[in-house]
Amino acid sequence: MDRGKKAVIIGGGIAGVQAAATLKDMSVTLISEEEFLPYYRMRIEEVLGGKDPESLYIHPLSWYEERGICYIQGSVTAIKEAAVILSDGREVPYDKLLIATGSRARMLSVPGGRKESYVLRCMSDALHLKDALEKAESFAIIGGGLLGLEAAYSVATDFNIPVSVVETAPYILPRQLDEDSAALLQEKLAEKGVTVYVSSTIESADDSFVYLKDGRKIAADVLCFSVGVNPAIKLAEEAGIRTGRGIVVDSHLRTSMENVYAAGDAAELDGRTFGLAMHAREMGTAAALSMMGEENDYRPSEPSALLKVGGIDVVSLGTPEGERKVETDGDKRRTYFIKDGVVNGVVLINDKASMMKAKAMLGKAYE
Ligand SMILES: Cc1cc2nc3c(=O)[nH]c(=O)nc-3n(C[C@H](O)[C@H](O)[C@H](O)COP(=O)(O)OP(=O)(O)OC[C@H]3O[C@@H](n4cnc5c(N)ncnc54)[C@H](O)[C@@H]3O)c2cc1C
């Protein structure tokens, strides 16, 4: 095991903080460009409802100090062979480097002359959106994925204004849900003041409305895009590290540059990028083990998603594709997706208690 060597981590997201917590017997420097200490990104919509940003911090500053982690608030502008360069010109030397730069929200550029649109990726986005919503009488969000729906639900609850969601797919959460479960969820959202426009595409937007391709117009004093993310790979690209959609890593989370590792949303493993907190956490641990010289061979877990909207718990495990087997029990509903003779995915509605059992069924025959 390497002892007393310098580990530097770029990015204070889930992957970066997890790696910092795992690294032992190395001097650790964590560099984060955000003006807040590392926080639970998945909960930033709570700020819309008035939560103090500091209440979302993963750890207080003392946690870093007690562990001897050197926390630098700054932006890395270049990766060199044995040091990274900060925007103020400082050089931070490393023996092992982890790139955990996460991803950036995509913003669509639409015609129509709208002056301002928002995304919801980091704490400062949430604070800007909150300011705008305080003066708004309507809100629209483009994208009916997990993040878009959670944001829509929060805004409808916290601001009590009409909220619209525009989704191109024929039903919401197409990656996590089957059509029937999605319809149930959509009904519950409607009860909370969220109108979902499925099979719909934005054509243009001015400062008051969003115009859909089918001719409908939707009130939108505030407009937010939730149309996916792009892994933050620029630093790696500029350093000559191999990239695809993400920073290409092997199962030890090693990049193509010696002593440089990548983890989380920014990383690409076996042609796949992830975009989920669970994988960022797993990869943060696995990268730290590799950086310490410990044997490990990272295999990503099956994706799972948990959502609570309008009083309904939704759990989605694996991939919801294949022949369906539905089990119902009062308001509980379990849908199993069978492909090639085995359970390929499971969607549980109002039945979180069955999650472990359902997880164990993935990859096995449905009985
Ligand atoms: C609102 C919201 C809700 C979500 N909900 C869920 C959910 O329910 N379930 C789920 O699994 N996932 C969810 N996600 C996705 C999840 O948050 C991400 O998968 C996870 O945060 C990725 O972690 P990461 O550490 O790779 O990157 P990030 O959390 O993106 O952190 C990367 C950090 O690196 C910093 N950085 C980038 N470049 C530099 C640089 N050059 N110098 C210094 N710092 C830099 C960034 O500013 C950022 O702070 C959600 C995301 C959002 C935004």
Side-chain angles (χ1 to χ4, degrees):
M1 188 194 283
D2 283 331
R3 286 190 185 271
K5 292 204 165 168
K6 292 188 270 303
V8 171
I9 301 166
I10 312 173
I14 295 170
V17 173
Q18 183 64 24
T22 308
L23 285 165
K24 301 273 174 315
D25 301 317
M26 295 179 92
S27 79
V28 179
T29 300
L30 179 63
I31 306 171
S32 174
E33 67 187 0
E34 294 195 54
E35 60 180 294
F36 300 93
L37 280 181
Y39 54 85
Y40 292 106
R41 187 172 307 281
M42 287 152 37
R43 291 174 45 200
I44 50 173
E45 73 262 12
E46 292 177 24
V47 169
L48 302 177
K51 263 246 164 99
D52 177 3
E54 291 190 10
S55 68
L56 300 186
Y57 283 178
I58 302 174
H59 301 295
L61 189 58
S62 56
W63 182 88
Y64 303 90
E65 289 165 354
E66 281 156 17
R67 281 158 187 77
I69 297 169
C70 170
Y71 180 81
I72 298 179
Q73 194 225 319
S75 179
V76 174
T77 52
I79 297 171
K80 305 281 177 210
E81 211 180 274
V84 298
I85 314 295
L86 300 180
S87 57
D88 61 9
R90 267 183 296 167
E91 265 193 33
V92 183
Y94 68 83
D95 296 300
K96 303 279 178 185
L97 175 69
L98 175 62
I99 310 174
T101 44
S103 45
R104 311 268 186 216
R106 260 186 233 145
M107 173 82 100
L108 297 183
S109 131
V110 288
R114 187 173 191 105
K115 284 195 234 34
E116 194 143 34
S117 303
Y118 297 82
V119 291
L120 189 57
R121 177 72 200 175
C122 59
M123 190 68 86
S124 57
D125 294 334
L127 291 168
H128 288 141
L129 185 57
K130 177 175 183 282
D131 282 351
L133 284 165
E134 273 161 4
K135 296 172 233 117
E137 285 176 14
S138 56
F139 175 65
I141 188 153
I142 310 300
L146 267 179
L147 206 153
L149 293 180
E150 282 185 341
Y153 180 68
S154 297
V155 173
T157 314
D158 297 332
F159 292 86
N160 201 22
I161 54 175
V163 172
S164 307
V165 178
V166 178
E167 168 58 49
T168 44
Y171 57 91
I172 52 175
L173 296 176
R175 277 198 299 166
Q176 288 89 5
L177 296 186
D178 61 300
E179 211 161 344
D180 294 347
S181 314
L184 194 66
L185 193 60
Q186 195 174 324
E187 248 173 58
K188 289 285 171 190
L189 283 165
E191 285 168 17
K192 296 283 168 189
V194 177
T195 309
V196 183
Y197 296 80
V198 289
S199 304
S200 299
T201 310
I202 182 171
E203 179 155 88
S204 62
D206 59 24
D207 286 333
S208 309
F209 293 98
V210 162
Y211 301 87
L212 301 183
K213 283 222 162 98
D214 63 10
R216 286 180 291 179
K217 72 174 186 181
I218 298 171
D221 288 349
V222 176
L223 175 62
C224 183
F225 286 93
S226 178
V227 289
V229 292
N230 292 322
I233 60 173
K234 191 163 162 262
L235 266 183
E237 259 175 354
E238 288 173 356
I241 294 170
R242 201 173 143 225
T243 56
R245 196 173 123 64
I247 303 166
V248 175
V249 292
D250 64 12
S251 64
H252 302 275
L253 285 304
R254 288 180 297 217
T255 69
S256 64
M257 187 165 167
E258 208 177 343
N259 296 321
V260 179
Y261 301 74
D265 279 15
E268 175 182 323
L269 176 66
D270 295 332
R272 239 177 109 188
T273 50
F274 296 85
L276 283 176
M278 59 181 292
H279 294 123
R281 195 170 296 112
E282 289 173 359
M283 281 193 241
T285 307
L289 293 175
S290 293
M291 291 162 82
M292 291 188 289
E294 287 188 15
E295 237 348 277
N296 82 99
D297 193 21
Y298 175 64
R299 295 269 170 266
S301 311
E302 279 295 331
S304 64
L306 266 145
L307 181 74
K308 190 172 177 73
V309 169
I312 304 191
D313 279 318
V314 183
V315 177
S316 167
L317 305 165
T319 313
E321 281 170 16
E323 188 203 337
R324 281 190 236 168
K325 301 270 184 211
V326 181
E327 298 171 2
T328 51
D329 170 11
D331 69 341
K332 294 180 188 161
R333 182 185 167 93
R334 294 181 287 278
T335 308
Y336 296 89
F337 298 84
I338 322 292
K339 202 171 173 187
D340 303 326
V342 297
V343 178
N344 189 37
V346 186
V347 174
L348 305 173
I349 304 277
N350 281 332
D351 194 12
K352 241 162 81 176
S354 298
M355 191 162 142
M356 292 320 287
K357 189 173 154 229
K359 229 177 197 171
M361 286 173 73
L362 289 173
K364 309 219 172 86
Y366 173 82
E367 279 155 11

